[in-house]
Amino acid sequence: MTLFSGSWRRRGALITVATAGAIVGLSAVPAVAHTPNWSVTCSEVSVDLTAYGNSDQNTVTITADGKDLLPTENFKNEFHKKLALPEHSTELSIRLVVKAADGERYNVDQEKTAPVCEGTTPSPSESTTPPPAESPSTEVPTEAPSESAPPSEAPTEEPTSSEAAVPSSEPSPAGDNLAETGSSSATPVIAGAAAVVVVAGAGIMWAARKRRTAQN
């Protein structure tokens, strides 16, 4: 009887330990099974979430440079999706946020960078090439007409000493005309004629008197 009861006690203990181990193992499965896998290329985002349990309170959100690429979406246990990225000429910052229904310790908040695809032409606003310099205006500024300076007089050439020593053969500009002084070369002739007239007049008067005297 003692051996029988002792064997049952051992069996009961083993069953208890096995049951406790099974409970602990089952409770630990979700913690180990949460598997968030995701990747980013220049053109798309791939997300694979597995073993998150059967609760529909699990959520996933994806943004690109702060803009919603995948608005918050609920899922059960698993989530698989590929999302195309918008065209971009600079790198994009992609953020994945996963909230697990069975505890905040299983939440995911990660960021990755989406590179620029080859052959993508940067937009003019993002181009590093400086804008071409403006060509100078061809218009000639209008200036107020300035008063022209009077032409300078040509300097008078002074004769050299050799020229001053040679007498000029040309007649003087004054010619033979002398300054008038009140007399001229005809004055003596006029005076002589006047004297002759006076003498002749006196002779005529004397002859006339003599004739009168003779008649009386």
Side-chain angles (χ1 to χ4, degrees):
M1 189 71 182
T2 303
L3 293 174
F4 182 77
S5 60
S7 63
W8 275 105
R9 287 177 183 175
R10 287 194 296 270
R11 290 179 182 178
L14 292 174
I15 292 171
T16 301
V17 171
T19 303
I23 293 173
V24 172
L26 291 175
S27 62
V29 168
V32 176
H34 288 69
T35 309
N37 292 323
W38 69 300
S39 60
V40 176
T41 65
C42 70
S43 59
E44 67 178 13
V45 179
S46 298
V47 180
D48 294 295
L49 308 175
T50 58
Y52 272 83
N54 292 324
S55 175
D56 60 356
Q57 297 304 310
N58 301 307
T59 61
V60 55
T61 307
I62 302 175
T63 59
D65 278 355
K67 298 179 181 178
D68 284 342
L69 187 63
L70 175 69
T72 302
E73 186 175 325
N74 294 70
F75 69 95
K76 283 185 178 182
N77 195 32
E78 294 185 0
F79 180 86
H80 305 280
K81 184 166 286 189
K82 290 185 177 182
L83 302 171
L85 292 175
E87 293 185 2
H88 54 282
S89 56
T90 58
E91 295 181 345
L92 291 179
S93 177
I94 311 301
R95 183 182 180 188
L96 172 68
V97 177
V98 179
K99 293 184 179 180
D102 54 351
E104 294 183 358
R105 64 184 180 279
Y106 305 122
N107 292 347
V108 176
D109 190 345
Q110 299 177 354
E111 288 188 8
K112 294 184 179 182
T113 301
V116 179
C117 295
E118 294 182 1
T120 303
T121 304
S123 60
S125 60
E126 298 171 352
S127 176
T128 57
T129 304
E134 297 181 359
S135 58
S137 176
T138 56
E139 296 182 359
V140 178
T142 304
E143 296 182 356
S146 59
E147 296 181 359
S148 58
S152 59
E153 297 181 358
T156 304
E157 295 182 359
E158 296 182 0
T160 61
S161 59
S162 60
E163 292 177 352
V166 179
S168 174
S169 59
E170 295 181 0
S172 172
D176 295 333
N177 295 329
L178 301 175
E180 293 184 2
T181 57
S183 62
S184 65
S185 59
T187 300
V189 177
I190 295 172
V196 170
V197 171
V198 172
V199 172
I204 292 171
M205 290 181 64
W206 180 76
R209 288 180 180 178
K210 188 176 181 179
R211 187 181 295 173
R212 288 178 183 173
T213 302
Q215 289 176 2
N216 294 327

